[in-house]
Amino acid sequence: MTCLFLNMLGEPQVLDADGKDLQISSRKALALMACLALTPGRSMQREDLVALLWGERFDQQGRQSLRQSLYALRRSLGDECAEVLFIDGETIGLDTKRMDSDAWRFEELVDAEDEPSLQEAANLHRGRLLAGIAIRDPSFEEWLTNQRQHFRDLHWRGLYRLAKCQKRRRDWTASLDSCRRLLDINPLREKTHRLIMRIHAQGGDRAAALQQYYKCEELLRKELNLEPDMTTIRTYEDIKASVPDADEDQSQHPAAATDSGPKSDGRYFSEARPAVAVLNFENLGGDPSQDYFAQAMTSDIATALSYWRWFPVIGQSSTSAFKNSSMGITEIARELDAQYVVTGTVRLAGTRVRIAVQLLDAATAHHLWAQRYDGSIEDIFDVQDEITEKIVAAVEPELMRAEHNRAFMKRADDLSAWDYVMRADWCKSELTQQRNAEAIKHLQDSIAIDPLLSIAWSHLAHCHWYDGIFGWSTDNESSFLESDKAARKAISLDDADWLAHTMLGLCDMWNRQDYDMSLTRHKRALDLNPSASIAHHSIACSLEFAGQPEEAINHLTTVMRLDPQYGNNAALLSDLSLSYLLLEQFEDSATYGRKAVSLRPDYARAFHRLASTLGHLGELEEAKAALDSTQRIQPDFCLDYVRSTYPFREKGHLDTLISGLKKAGMDR
């Protein structure tokens, strides 16, 4: 039975079961209760309490002060409520069955999905945590500062979710009121300003939406000397472009009179797949004879980007017309029908070269990404290839990220086939069963709009493959067959779709154990796109099962070099672990296996390889723990599963994996 309630959000209060304020006069006693209430487990050791509240006193003095505060607190609580406070040797704590707290309820409610719970959380937050509590002890002050920031962040999160719920039911007044409270917490958080912009826009007040952007822009410049981020700018652009009379309130702010926003008509801002223009790199070396190198870098990057085929790349004959042009980026891009622009500079000095590259959103000339590369030009062609490879490997993910953001900012009733593919690609990259299912739904929506879009089919093949390989499907074999079918459809639409060839290569190996055809298809994919990390990873998988683990390692390390932020790094490390296991280099295998499971503790196949490797090393306790983790994640894991999902060409490789698992304790 609850006999006591502790209020901490605002002025601290201790109430009995009837709601009577027990008038705890001692600030230290209230702080003591708060420390216990806000500690996980609702209990602390005596020495920790002394260090937190009486840290500047000698140990014996601190302990005596703690005893006095506990005595005074028990007296203030009275006989009925005093039992809430328990002492067990060196442990002091609160009996959570006999008391409650507004802070506890708040923490439970703030992440709820329903509006009533979120509204209750907002109502519970009466003010700053432990308002009025001032104890001059550095340890307590630091603790209190951290706790206040924690609850402030929770309050912001809950209010933001509440505002979105209110917006969904079109209660613009309530939603804007919640947003104003968000700005009171942190006026510099752009996410709040974007939400206010969307509320005004959906409520039909476009002028107010644009005005909110200008307020945000001015505030960031004044307080932080920063411009709004790309997501905020694109929200502004979408709102500005959504109404034909784009100059409706241009007089309200100087920025509204510029040409920074998108036009609502014409091919440049059409819903079609966005194009990329690689503009001529500038030679900063001062020697006109070195122009050739800048031109070669421009051409190589444009060619390598075109291999991806996900973004049309404007031809060099078109972009060259703007060499040394005085036109701005936005104007050039509009002339070229390009959504994104790559620019750069080259500086040659002796045997060294420095190349700086930028990726810009053409609508705003806003930088999405920038990087600098240094190298030696003793072999000019090698350095040219190496830097081109690095640049393209970095630019492509940034392009995809920008498109993901754009696709998710659009209204559901205004999505094109390409937008659905971009949404799917983001969901797929999360590598979870739920997100993969969402990705499949987005791709089905894309295909319904445009059944001839090859990229939708190849991504669908990838998603079905994930369903099968990660065991997310109720029928893994059916998922692999669906992957095969989607990949073949993609190739029938576009034989140069490298991702489709990659997926079909995996299906050849997995569904038919046709190792030679699998490797042929993978090599075709890499011919089409030498910079594709997924293609390198996939051929490595086929090489592992085809009996060529050394070659597999070469491709896996290429991925690590091309893309240090590779989205499926846990699987990559796990495949390195498997390759070294097959080579019986167990120490290296264990190193990569441990890294893989630390990145993805829910990735069962990484634990398969780690358990086997540790079994071979004789590290049986850790091997058994890895096996236990496997069976926790994958309860049906057994030797039959291993035989059916590890299609090794060489029986000896399967024996190596299974014998290690048996040493780890696997017996079924």
Side-chain angles (χ1 to χ4, degrees):
M1 176 182 173
T2 300
C3 66
L4 184 145
F5 194 89
L6 174 61
N7 281 325
M8 293 184 282
L9 299 175
E11 288 280 347
Q13 287 180 306
V14 181
L15 309 175
D16 65 15
D18 298 322
K20 177 185 175 183
D21 190 342
L22 296 181
Q23 299 291 329
I24 308 295
S25 58
S26 167
R27 299 286 94 183
K28 275 283 175 80
L30 282 171
L32 172 62
M33 284 198 74
C35 289
L36 294 173
L38 295 176
T39 298
R42 316 306 180 197
S43 64
M44 295 179 68
Q45 296 297 299
R46 283 179 184 267
E47 62 179 347
D48 294 332
L49 280 167
V50 169
L52 197 57
L53 293 166
W54 296 277
E56 295 186 329
R57 300 188 183 183
F58 292 115
D59 183 59
Q60 288 303 317
Q61 288 180 320
R63 282 181 168 266
Q64 179 61 29
S65 296
L66 174 59
R67 283 193 291 270
Q68 290 172 353
S69 287
L70 288 170
Y71 176 76
L73 183 57
R74 281 182 174 276
R75 288 192 61 184
S76 297
L77 294 177
D79 293 339
E80 186 176 350
C81 295
E83 296 304 314
V84 164
L85 191 68
F86 72 83
I87 301 174
D88 182 8
E90 289 295 298
T91 302
I92 301 171
L94 299 173
D95 184 351
T96 56
K97 294 179 180 178
R98 305 192 64 187
M99 69 169 288
D100 203 350
S101 167
D102 59 347
W104 298 350
R105 290 186 183 180
F106 177 76
E107 286 184 302
E108 289 176 1
L109 294 168
V110 77
D111 284 326
E113 298 291 338
D114 62 292
E115 186 177 337
S117 295
L118 293 168
Q119 186 64 65
E120 184 180 350
N123 294 340
L124 281 171
H125 200 284
R126 297 175 296 112
R128 189 171 67 161
L129 180 76
L130 300 176
I133 289 284
I135 294 174
R136 294 179 180 177
D137 188 288
S139 296
F140 180 78
E141 288 177 348
E142 181 182 358
W143 174 86
L144 183 56
T145 297
N146 291 335
Q147 289 292 333
R148 282 174 173 168
Q149 184 61 51
H150 169 68
F151 278 93
R152 185 181 179 185
D153 291 343
L154 288 181
H155 187 35
W156 189 95
R157 193 164 79 206
L159 279 174
Y160 186 81
R161 295 166 73 93
L162 175 61
K164 289 180 69 175
C165 286
Q166 293 162 336
K167 171 175 160 286
R168 277 196 295 270
R169 62 179 178 82
R170 307 180 73 80
D171 188 340
W172 314 124
T173 301
S175 186
L176 286 170
D177 183 61
S178 295
C179 286
R180 291 186 188 98
R181 295 174 69 184
L182 286 169
L183 290 176
D184 288 340
I185 298 171
N186 186 351
L188 298 174
R189 197 151 183 177
E190 290 185 58
K191 200 170 183 180
T192 304
H193 291 279
R194 291 196 294 268
L195 181 56
I196 294 172
M197 291 164 66
R198 291 194 293 270
I199 292 167
H200 282 310
Q202 291 182 24
D205 194 345
R206 175 175 165 275
L210 296 177
Q211 192 65 33
Q212 187 65 39
Y213 171 80
Y214 305 140
K215 290 178 183 177
C216 173
E217 182 183 47
E218 184 178 355
L219 187 64
L220 291 172
R221 284 177 180 168
K222 180 181 177 182
E223 298 295 331
L224 303 175
N225 196 27
L226 292 175
E227 297 296 322
D229 68 25
M230 191 59 206
T231 307
T232 305
I233 293 171
R234 293 309 300 259
T235 302
Y236 160 77
E237 291 168 352
D238 284 350
I239 292 170
K240 188 175 179 184
S242 64
V243 179
D245 49 339
D247 61 350
E248 178 182 320
D249 66 340
Q250 285 183 348
S251 62
Q252 296 185 32
H253 192 281
T258 71
D259 194 26
S260 61
K263 302 292 186 285
S264 58
D265 56 359
R267 290 180 295 128
Y268 178 55
F269 289 102
S270 72
E271 300 297 335
R273 190 185 312 192
V276 182
V278 182
L279 301 186
N280 287 80
F281 279 31
E282 182 181 358
N283 171 24
L284 298 181
D287 183 353
S289 67
Q290 296 174 349
D291 283 352
Y292 76 94
F293 187 74
Q295 180 58 44
M297 287 301 306
T298 306
S299 179
D300 284 358
I301 291 169
T303 301
L305 274 175
S306 69
Y307 289 151
W308 287 90
R309 296 183 66 78
W310 295 354
F311 299 90
V313 178
I314 306 297
Q316 287 295 287
S317 59
S318 298
T319 57
S320 294
F322 296 93
K323 186 176 181 180
N324 301 322
S325 172
S326 61
M327 295 171 63
I329 292 293
T330 300
E331 294 175 279
I332 293 173
R334 184 173 292 113
E335 290 294 320
L336 293 170
D337 277 346
Q339 177 75 44
Y340 299 102
V341 173
V342 178
T343 66
T345 60
V346 173
R347 185 188 298 274
L348 288 167
T351 61
R352 303 293 298 172
V353 60
R354 171 167 292 175
I355 299 173
V357 190
Q358 302 87 36
L359 173 66
L360 302 99
D361 185 297
T364 61
H366 186 87
H367 284 69
L368 299 174
W369 167 87
Q371 188 60 271
R372 190 180 74 190
Y373 300 90
D374 294 308
S376 170
I377 56 170
E378 292 171 355
D379 189 330
I380 190 120
F381 296 111
D382 283 350
V383 75
Q384 189 173 320
D385 290 345
E386 179 185 347
I387 293 177
T388 297
E389 188 179 63
K390 288 179 178 178
I391 290 171
V392 172
V395 166
E396 187 277 335
E398 295 299 332
L399 285 169
M400 295 297 283
R401 205 168 355 259
E403 282 299 289
H404 294 166
N405 290 337
R406 188 190 61 78
F408 273 100
M409 281 167 29
K410 295 184 68 174
R411 298 187 303 272
D413 60 355
D414 194 29
L415 295 172
S416 68
W418 171 256
D419 293 326
Y420 278 116
V421 172
M422 289 299 95
R423 287 191 170 199
D425 188 63
W426 180 84
C427 290
K428 173 162 63 79
S429 70
E430 292 286 288
L431 290 174
T432 66
Q433 183 174 1
Q434 178 183 345
R435 289 297 191 198
N436 202 57
E438 291 175 21
I440 289 174
K441 176 63 170 62
H442 288 316
L443 292 167
Q444 289 169 341
D445 289 339
S446 174
I447 290 166
I449 295 171
D450 185 358
L452 303 181
L453 188 60
S454 165
I455 188 175
W457 289 100
S458 54
H459 275 66
L460 185 61
H462 202 183
C463 288
H464 283 308
W465 171 260
Y466 276 165
D467 265 352
I469 197 67
F470 290 130
W472 293 336
S473 170
T474 55
D475 184 350
N476 293 340
E477 184 177 346
S478 175
S479 292
F480 291 131
L481 291 175
E482 287 297 318
S483 179
D484 188 297
K485 184 165 65 175
R488 290 182 185 278
K489 177 66 175 178
I491 290 172
S492 73
L493 295 169
D494 181 2
D495 186 53
D497 186 329
W498 64 268
L499 181 59
H501 285 283
T502 297
M503 300 317 303
L504 197 53
L506 287 172
C507 291
D508 282 326
M509 182 268 296
W510 204 268
N511 298 350
R512 294 174 283 280
Q513 282 77 64
D514 190 341
Y515 304 98
D516 295 335
M517 180 56 74
S518 174
L519 294 176
T520 297
R521 293 194 196 278
H522 282 308
K523 288 172 183 175
R524 166 75 168 144
L526 286 170
D527 286 342
L528 291 167
N529 190 352
S531 302
S533 296
I534 296 171
H536 281 285
H537 189 179
S538 297
I539 194 173
C541 292
S542 290
L543 287 164
E544 285 173 336
F545 291 114
Q548 302 176 53
E550 300 97 334
E551 281 297 308
I553 290 170
N554 290 337
H555 284 280
L556 293 168
T557 53
T558 295
V559 177
M560 297 172 76
R561 176 173 54 81
L562 280 176
D563 188 1
Q565 304 302 319
Y566 182 54
N568 202 0
N569 258 334
L572 177 78
L573 294 167
S574 177
D575 282 315
L576 277 167
S577 177
L578 178 59
S579 293
Y580 282 113
L581 172 63
L582 301 180
L583 292 170
E584 299 187 7
Q585 297 178 23
F586 300 124
E587 292 288 353
D588 288 333
S589 177
T591 296
Y592 286 111
R594 290 182 180 116
K595 288 180 180 177
V597 300
S598 70
L599 278 179
R600 285 294 299 267
D602 59 343
Y603 184 29
R605 290 180 77 82
F607 281 107
H608 302 172
R609 293 109 191 250
L610 180 59
S612 177
T613 293
L614 294 170
H616 283 295
L617 286 171
E619 298 181 20
L620 300 184
E621 185 175 345
E622 189 181 353
K624 179 65 166 57
L627 195 58
D628 289 344
S629 294
T630 299
Q631 291 170 333
R632 173 179 51 79
I633 301 165
Q634 187 181 359
D636 61 348
F637 180 63
C638 61
L639 293 177
D640 284 342
Y641 170 88
V642 174
R643 295 186 183 98
S644 65
T645 63
Y646 282 86
F648 292 110
R649 172 181 265 176
E650 295 186 14
K651 183 178 181 299
H653 285 162
L654 181 61
D655 291 342
T656 298
L657 178 62
I658 288 178
S659 63
L661 288 169
K662 288 182 176 179
K663 290 175 183 177
M666 190 167 184
D667 57 2
R668 60 182 180 129

